[in-house]
Amino acid sequence: MMDTKEVLEIALHSLQRIEHSLKEIEANSKQTDSDVWHTKRADNQKVTVLIRCNIISVGDIDTVKQEFTTEIWLSAIWKEPTLIGKNREEVIWEEQWHPRLVFTNAISVDKMETKHHLYEDKDSDDGIPYAAMNFRLKATFKEPMELYDFPFDCQDLTIRIMSDWPDTDVQFKKNMSIKDSIRIDTFTGAQEWDLHKHVISQAVDEDRELTGSHRKYPMYHITAHVQRRIGFYLWNVALIMFLIMCMTFASFSVDPFEPADRLSVTLTLLLTSVAFKFVVSQSLPTISYLTILYKASQKEMKAANQKYQELCQQINKTWTENMAKRQQRDEEKTVKYEINYVENDHHEIKRKKAKRSRVRPNESKDGKGLGRLKDPDRRRHDGDHSESTERQSKSQSAEYNIPI
């Protein structure tokens, strides 16, 4: 037989085991910190959420990454029947219904503060108070930029808000009691952009074709506008490209008979334009269309290429004309030399004939009764030489059509 002490020890040990098992069951069934449970409204009514915002500051605007940084204050209020007759301190806000706002285009959130308030509706007699959820948010947002008119572009900086409740449960509207605002004095990108003083806030319809969702969710956009300052790009890009294009005309100052020098000037300027275009492309994201600056660069490169082609054509034309003129001059010099040579030869022949026809001492003055030469062989030799010279002169005159 066991005594009472042993029975109590066995019972205590069993109770400890049961307690340990219950703790394990509780730990396994307990929700983790990441689990969030959202309960629908008991009345199943569609809630209208009024949105009001104040853009406190707009920070860096990155054109290449297509991002911008901003700090905003956002208020979302709605009527809450379950809070009738309660004070703010009496409400457990973690257990209350809220619109589940999500900033869809936020890349990173640096700071976010959330506060809840309770307001009385003075314009209504139903006594239902307004529950307010206020956000103080500093984050970086993604914004696709339209750069067709770069650097004369105007960009929309949009903060996109969505509710995780479908549009059958929640709808967004702008709070018309107080206007939305934006602070200009805190804008840090004033050296590159002009920030406009207005804010456009509106509820938008979600496009199912773009989202691919089987349900529609309410969307709300808050948009600020900035205008790019063109001074930097005008003086550092456009002016330099214009000067490079104007320098293409310097190739016409080089002697046309030195085509290598002329082509080297044009090709150097063309390569300079291409290199400068790559430098400018570092200020823009990778886009599939041409901006105004790119179009201007393309036109300048096209003009330089056209000047290069015109220069080549002019060099070829000048070279051909000069070669034709040189050949014509050479032909004229050859003909003139041959004519002078024939004329000189003709004069020489005439001079020799005149010399031979002179009256010799043993001949009469009238040419009658000419005595015989002392050397008959010499006379025959002179006659043969005169006949051969005359035949040669006639053949040369017939060749060049020169009358003798």
Side-chain angles (χ1 to χ4, degrees):
M1 294 294 294
M2 291 187 300
D3 56 1
T4 307
K5 186 177 179 180
E6 293 178 354
V7 173
L8 291 175
E9 288 179 355
I10 294 173
L12 181 61
H13 182 68
S14 300
L15 290 174
Q16 289 178 354
R17 290 179 60 184
I18 293 171
E19 184 182 2
H20 181 69
S21 300
L22 292 174
K23 287 182 179 180
E24 288 182 354
I25 294 172
E26 184 181 1
N28 292 330
S29 62
K30 186 179 179 179
Q31 297 177 2
T32 61
D33 295 337
S34 60
D35 293 336
V36 179
W37 296 89
H38 299 284
T39 305
K40 288 188 176 183
R41 297 177 65 88
D43 54 2
N44 292 326
Q45 297 293 324
K46 188 174 183 178
V47 181
T48 300
V49 180
L50 305 178
I51 304 295
R52 182 172 73 88
C53 74
N54 177 23
I55 300 179
I56 300 173
S57 65
V58 178
D60 298 333
I61 303 174
D62 195 335
T63 305
V64 178
K65 296 182 179 180
Q66 302 188 72
E67 300 173 356
F68 69 96
T69 303
T70 186
E71 183 176 0
I72 66 169
W73 179 87
L74 184 71
S75 174
I77 64 174
W78 66 95
K79 282 194 173 186
E80 188 56 63
T82 60
L83 300 180
I84 297 175
K86 292 184 179 181
N87 297 326
R88 178 182 179 275
E89 292 77 10
E90 300 175 355
V91 179
I92 303 175
W93 295 102
E94 290 77 7
E95 299 178 358
Q96 293 295 320
W97 183 92
H98 61 86
R100 300 170 60 188
L101 300 182
V102 179
F103 299 89
T104 57
N105 63 331
I107 300 174
S108 61
V109 178
D110 300 330
K111 180 181 67 175
M112 186 172 183
E113 298 177 359
T114 305
K115 295 182 180 181
H116 297 83
H117 295 276
L118 199 61
Y119 301 102
E120 294 182 0
D121 187 5
K122 299 179 181 180
D123 298 333
S124 179
D125 298 334
D126 55 8
I128 300 176
Y130 279 111
M133 192 174 183
N134 300 332
F135 299 89
R136 178 74 179 261
L137 175 69
K138 183 178 182 181
T140 301
F141 297 90
K142 193 73 175 178
E143 173 61 30
M145 296 187 178
E146 298 178 356
L147 301 171
Y148 293 96
D149 298 330
F150 177 85
F152 305 95
D153 54 327
C154 180
Q155 298 297 333
D156 300 340
L157 307 180
T158 304
I159 301 171
R160 294 174 173 83
I161 304 172
M162 185 186 74
S163 174
D164 279 343
W165 297 109
D167 60 347
T168 56
D169 297 337
V170 174
Q171 66 174 352
F172 287 135
K173 284 187 178 181
K174 183 177 180 179
N175 190 349
M176 302 301 295
S177 60
I178 303 176
K179 69 175 183 178
D180 299 334
S181 61
I182 183 172
R183 297 193 61 174
I184 307 295
D185 55 344
T186 57
F187 181 45
T188 59
Q191 299 297 328
E192 187 179 356
W193 302 87
D194 286 327
L195 180 62
H196 294 181
K197 298 181 180 180
H198 62 271
V199 179
I200 298 177
S201 303
Q202 59 182 350
V204 297
D205 293 331
E206 186 182 27
D207 191 354
R208 291 186 182 180
E209 294 181 357
L210 298 178
T211 60
S213 176
H214 67 285
R215 304 181 70 177
K216 292 182 65 176
Y217 294 87
M219 302 287 295
Y220 194 85
H221 290 179
I222 301 170
T223 305
H225 296 87
V226 290
Q227 177 73 41
R228 193 187 301 272
R229 294 177 178 266
I230 65 172
F232 173 82
Y233 299 96
L234 186 64
W235 294 106
N236 294 278
V237 178
L239 180 61
I240 295 177
M241 288 299 299
F242 178 75
L243 294 177
I244 292 174
M245 185 189 69
C246 292
M247 289 178 65
T248 56
F249 293 97
S251 59
F252 293 101
S253 62
V254 183
D255 190 358
F257 294 101
E258 298 178 357
D261 295 338
R262 304 188 76 174
L263 293 177
S264 64
V265 172
T266 304
L267 289 176
T268 301
L269 294 174
L270 182 62
L271 294 176
T272 304
S273 301
V274 174
F276 194 74
K277 180 179 180 295
F278 281 108
V279 173
V280 174
S281 63
Q282 297 178 1
S283 301
L284 294 175
T286 304
I287 52 180
S288 60
Y289 52 86
L290 296 178
T291 64
I292 288 181
L293 189 62
Y294 274 174
K295 291 179 180 179
S297 301
Q298 293 287 350
K299 288 182 179 179
E300 291 173 358
M301 293 176 61
K302 185 178 180 181
N305 187 23
Q306 185 177 1
K307 293 297 179 185
Y308 170 74
Q309 295 178 358
E310 292 178 357
L311 179 61
C312 293
Q313 293 176 0
Q314 184 176 1
I315 290 175
N316 294 331
K317 183 179 179 180
T318 305
W319 183 266
T320 304
E321 292 178 354
N322 292 334
M323 290 299 295
K325 290 180 180 179
R326 182 178 297 179
Q327 185 177 2
Q328 185 178 1
R329 287 196 300 267
D330 293 342
E331 292 177 355
E332 291 177 354
K333 288 181 180 179
T334 303
V335 172
K336 186 176 181 180
Y337 173 77
E338 292 177 353
I339 293 174
N340 293 333
Y341 176 77
V342 172
E343 289 181 351
N344 293 334
D345 193 11
H346 178 64
H347 291 310
E348 183 68 18
I349 293 173
K350 289 180 66 176
R351 185 180 65 79
K352 289 181 179 181
K353 289 177 66 177
K355 184 177 180 181
R356 288 195 300 270
S357 62
R358 292 178 183 176
V359 179
R360 290 180 174 81
N362 58 348
E363 296 176 347
S364 61
K365 295 182 179 180
D366 54 357
K368 296 180 179 180
L370 293 176
R372 296 185 178 271
L373 296 175
K374 294 181 179 181
D375 190 359
D377 296 333
R378 181 178 179 181
R379 185 183 60 184
R380 185 173 59 253
H381 176 73
D382 291 340
D384 295 340
H385 177 72
S386 176
E387 291 177 358
S388 62
T389 303
E390 185 175 0
R391 285 196 302 270
Q392 182 179 4
S393 176
K394 287 182 180 180
S395 62
Q396 290 178 353
S397 301
E399 181 179 1
Y400 294 100
N401 297 323
I402 300 174
I404 298 178

